[in-house]
Amino acid sequence: MSAEEMSPDESPAQGLRELKKQMTRDAIASAAFKLTLEKGLDHVTVEEISRVAIVSPRTFSNYFSSKEEAVVSAGAQAPEQFVPAFREAAEELPPWRRSARCSPTTS
């Protein structure tokens, strides 16, 4: 079988270790995204994200430097789901919270 005919799972360059790392990274990002939609980023902790992703907080920090980075990573993986999901979540907020959440912060 040639390299062109192989599926990504059969790629010789991607060993089991790399596959497991990617799966862990995806699980953390997905958990961060899900919890952020449910509770809002300010009300989510790294410990909660870790618990949902079934990893330790230390493992979380091996993959992401912050919860914000994990959420953005989820959006980069599935942008077609990211924007509509946040738009839908924002519509559920009262108007005064919606504008505050969507406005850029000033320093």
Side-chain angles (χ1 to χ4, degrees), residues 4-46:
E4 294 84 31
E5 297 172 333
M6 291 181 140
S7 72
D9 296 323
E10 298 170 338
S11 171
Q14 185 176 18
L16 186 57
R17 178 176 289 169
E18 288 78 20
L19 181 60
K20 183 168 179 354
K21 284 181 181 179
Q22 187 59 49
M23 290 172 62
T24 300
R25 184 176 182 80
D26 292 348
I28 295 168
S30 178
F33 182 70
K34 177 181 175 257
L35 288 170
T36 299
L37 285 178
E38 290 174 3
K39 301 171 128 188
L41 188 60
D42 292 341
H43 302 289
V44 175
T45 65
V46 168

Side-chain angles (χ1 to χ4, degrees), residues 1 7 15 17 29 32-33 43-44 46 51 53 56-57 70 80 83-84 89 92 94 98 104:
M1 181 181 283
S7 72
R17 178 176 289 169
F33 182 70
H43 302 289
V44 175
V46 168
R51 189 173 59 254
S56 70
E80 67 282 351
V83 174
E92 295 174 9
R98 199 176 314 150

Side-chain angles (χ1 to χ4, degrees), residues 42 90 93-106:
D42 292 341
L93 293 172
W96 60 91
R97 292 285 318 271
R98 199 176 314 150
S99 62
R101 195 176 258 188
C102 297
S103 299
T105 57
T106 57

